[in-house]
Amino acid sequence: KAPSSAATTGMTDAPDTPSAAFCTSPRMDRVHLFILCLFAAALPASASGSRTALSNRFSTLRRGLRTPVARSGSQGIRSSVKARAGLFTLAHKNRNAKSWICSNSAASADINEVVAEPSAASSLSSSELSEAEAAAAKTKSLGLIASAVVSPHPAKVKKGGEDAFFFRSSLDGGAIGVADGVGGYSEYGIDPGMFSRTLMQQLSQSEAKQTQVNPASALREAQEATRLPGASTAVVLQLNGTSREATYANVGDSGIRVLRDGKIVYASRPLMHGFNCPYQLAYTRLSPNAQTIKDADIETIPVLPGDIIVAATDGVFDNLFDSDIEEIISDEESAAGSSDLELVKSTAKALADEAFARSMDARYMSPFAQAKGEQQGGFVFQKPIGGKPDDITVVVALAKEGGVAGAESEVLRSQKEWEQAQLVVQKLLEGSEDVVRATQEALSAAESAGMVASARPAASGPRPKKKPSSGMQVFVESQVAAMDKAQLQRTLGQLGLPTSGKLSSLRQRLLDYRE
């Protein structure tokens, strides 16, 4: 997607201004910079140069705030400065866009401002273990403390975007997951967010019932229970607290990163049919050729205490390089206070804020722009450039020893956040039961008319081995150009590829297909 009109002014350095010197001066701490940003943002453009010059100053200030030299001040001031500086930059670039920028900020912060009610665990002394903590200490269990941020695409703020997530914090194990609804279904009057949110709700329920770690089984059950039109990518990770191993199942271009001592030690790989065309889960009675858990990438990785695990949709990975993720998380760890929950909350927000700011920068050479340029080859008049505006969802989890004092209190606060987020999701899903009912009625009518096959029980037994890919192109350009939209969609459906999108996208999807 091309960057929106709100981002047509690039964020570049302004050599004729002293902003960079201010940011790197050891005498200028973050509190002063915070006041400076607020004051400057309140001035009209004419008071301090053109709108473009003001935008450049804000951009320089925002980047300067990330320098190690000016790292004074509390974590709260630090994260607030970053967020506000980025928002003011965008607001002054397009004053008409300020309302949705503020709405986006509010939507992203909803689940991060939940204050949990005092629990029995919080009344214990700092060195005394609760009953649950003592049990975790006895088994030497490793658990997860998680938090999440959703930052919708500017055009989708009112409906909450099309991404979804879930997490389960625990003293022993835990789980996280994200899903990204396929936007092409909106062309048919279908809200893509309804499928992804329902999928994550079902995943949360199926995962909670399990007695052993099996993310593939949980995701399979969730897909079968999501009986709605639409499709979504999905990734889910579960931690075995006893063996200290995490297993994930991934379908599509959402992903997992595991960081240890500020460095990424594991990164999942995206599963794609072609450029910008990821594997997708769907209700198989409506989309018989959709991907299922049999097509998922399933891996098990070791986890150590202190590891940070990130699950995110492609809105993050299309706009942030892995080196950016490492830098942001290292900064957050350096400024972290005594609360592990506050660390994961501030880290999730920092990643989402930075991904959002870069997605709106038309002059930024993003990972998405690089990949698109590589896909186009060397014979193009102008190389693609710019961030990719998209929904952005981040779940950050910290692996922590469950048998330490205070761990239960943080787990309970984290779960309170999840419960609060569920209330928002349930409101967004109002009316989905009517859609499920209408879908089943339509399928029954189609079966009676012989238009679709009756539902069959899932086949049991070992997964059949796939024929190795030869990597050869199947369709030539002249052949694809002769097809109309209906023929393209029928051919794509037979290959198990998505059938939504513009005519040019359908043709390119078929040309990208390899045997």
Side-chain angles (χ1 to χ4, degrees):
K1 300 177 184 178
S4 67
S5 58
T8 53
T9 303
M11 289 190 257
T12 57
D13 291 329
D16 59 337
T17 65
S19 303
F22 286 155
C23 290
T24 56
S25 169
R27 296 189 300 273
M28 183 68 69
D29 64 17
R30 293 184 186 278
V31 177
H32 291 101
L33 286 171
F34 180 50
I35 295 170
L36 178 64
C37 286
L38 286 175
F39 176 73
L43 296 175
S46 59
S48 56
S50 66
R51 182 178 299 178
T52 301
L54 187 58
S55 172
N56 290 338
R57 289 172 190 165
F58 286 155
S59 179
T60 306
L61 281 171
R62 182 173 64 81
R63 284 196 289 271
L65 289 169
R66 298 201 63 82
T67 60
V69 178
R71 203 177 267 170
S72 59
S74 68
Q75 178 200 9
I77 290 290
R78 181 173 174 279
S79 57
S80 181
V81 169
K82 282 191 221 171
R84 288 180 181 271
L87 291 175
F88 285 137
T89 301
L90 294 170
H92 274 269
K93 283 163 61 180
N94 185 343
R95 294 176 186 271
N96 295 330
K98 190 169 182 180
S99 60
W100 61 252
I101 291 173
C102 294
S103 299
N104 179 69
S105 175
S108 300
D110 281 348
I111 65 167
N112 287 325
E113 296 180 358
V114 178
V115 180
E117 298 175 359
S119 64
S122 62
S123 64
L124 299 172
S125 67
S126 59
S127 59
E128 186 179 354
L129 297 182
S130 68
E131 185 177 340
E133 290 166 351
K138 187 175 181 180
T139 58
K140 298 182 179 180
S141 297
L142 193 65
L144 293 180
I145 296 175
S147 186
V149 168
V150 177
S151 182
H153 184 288
K156 304 172 185 177
V157 170
K158 287 185 178 180
K159 67 173 186 175
E162 296 165 356
D163 284 358
F165 71 90
F166 99 99
F167 62 79
R168 178 176 60 83
S169 297
S170 174
L171 296 175
D172 182 5
I176 58 176
V178 295
D180 180 0
V182 178
Y185 279 89
S186 60
E187 298 177 12
Y188 304 99
I190 297 168
D191 178 9
M194 185 174 289
F195 188 94
S196 60
R197 292 187 187 101
T198 304
L199 181 70
M200 286 293 101
Q201 276 202 329
Q202 296 292 344
L203 180 59
S204 173
Q205 294 171 17
S206 61
E207 191 275 335
K209 293 185 296 184
Q210 289 183 326
T211 56
Q212 58 184 6
V213 169
N214 192 339
S217 175
L219 191 55
R220 184 187 67 249
E221 289 183 23
Q223 181 182 10
E224 293 171 353
T226 306
R227 301 176 179 181
L228 288 164
S232 174
T233 68
V235 61
V236 55
L237 176 143
Q238 289 178 306
L239 173 66
N240 184 322
T242 305
S243 68
R244 303 192 172 199
E245 291 180 324
T247 303
Y248 75 83
N250 179 45
V251 178
D253 57 358
S254 294
I256 295 289
R257 298 291 186 271
V258 179
L259 290 96
R260 186 173 300 147
D261 299 325
K263 296 295 181 182
I264 292 175
V265 296
Y266 186 85
S268 63
R269 66 185 183 98
L271 298 179
M272 312 287 286
H273 294 294
F275 175 73
N276 204 27
C277 182
Y279 283 23
Q280 301 160 14
L281 300 175
Y283 182 28
T284 53
R285 289 193 65 197
L286 287 175
S287 305
N289 295 311
Q291 281 72 59
T292 67
I293 197 61
K294 292 181 178 180
D295 302 295
D297 196 8
I298 302 170
E299 297 288 345
T300 298
I301 49 182
V303 176
L304 300 179
D307 285 358
I308 289 181
I309 304 174
V310 177
T313 56
D314 64 332
V316 172
F317 302 119
D318 283 342
N319 291 295
L320 295 180
F321 293 94
D322 279 356
S323 58
D324 299 322
I325 294 173
E326 291 177 338
E327 179 187 351
I328 292 168
I329 291 180
S330 293
D331 285 353
E332 294 301 320
E333 287 184 302
S334 299
S338 59
S339 169
D340 292 325
L341 180 58
E342 292 305 316
L343 168 62
V344 295
K345 287 174 68 174
S346 66
T347 300
K349 190 175 188 308
L351 288 169
D353 284 347
E354 191 68 21
F356 177 76
R358 296 196 186 191
S359 74
M360 305 306 294
D361 189 343
R363 298 185 184 181
Y364 167 56
M365 179 54 75
S366 64
F368 181 82
Q370 280 194 4
K372 187 174 183 180
E374 292 170 2
Q375 190 264 344
Q376 289 178 343
F379 301 99
V380 291
F381 178 72
Q382 185 177 3
K383 287 285 187 182
I385 193 170
K388 182 193 176 190
D390 199 355
D391 294 327
I392 294 166
T393 297
V394 189
V395 182
V396 176
L398 173 69
K400 179 175 180 175
E401 298 277 5
V404 298
E408 184 181 12
S409 177
E410 294 205 273
V411 165
L412 292 174
R413 289 171 57 209
S414 174
Q415 285 303 102
K416 187 73 174 178
E417 284 189 11
W418 166 245
E419 292 168 8
Q420 188 73 16
Q422 281 297 89
L423 296 177
V424 177
V425 170
Q426 287 169 11
K427 192 169 184 179
L428 291 170
L429 285 176
E430 288 178 355
S432 62
E433 293 180 359
D434 295 335
V435 178
V436 171
R437 191 180 307 110
T439 301
Q440 297 305 313
E441 290 173 356
L443 280 171
S444 298
E447 285 175 7
S448 301
M451 297 171 64
V452 296
S454 300
R456 292 178 294 178
S460 59
R463 175 182 176 180
K465 292 185 178 180
K466 290 185 177 180
K467 180 181 177 181
S469 172
S470 65
M472 298 293 292
Q473 186 173 9
V474 178
F475 301 94
V476 297
E477 191 167 350
S478 58
Q479 180 185 10
V480 172
M483 296 183 182
D484 59 22
K485 189 168 186 177
Q487 291 173 317
L488 288 167
Q489 289 176 323
R490 184 165 56 251
T491 305
L492 288 166
Q494 291 170 350
L495 295 171
L497 301 175
T499 58
S500 61
K502 297 179 181 179
L503 185 62
S504 58
S505 299
L506 299 177
R507 284 177 173 157
Q508 188 60 51
R509 200 170 294 160
L510 209 53
L511 286 172
D512 290 340
Y513 178 74
R514 297 293 184 271
E515 188 177 24

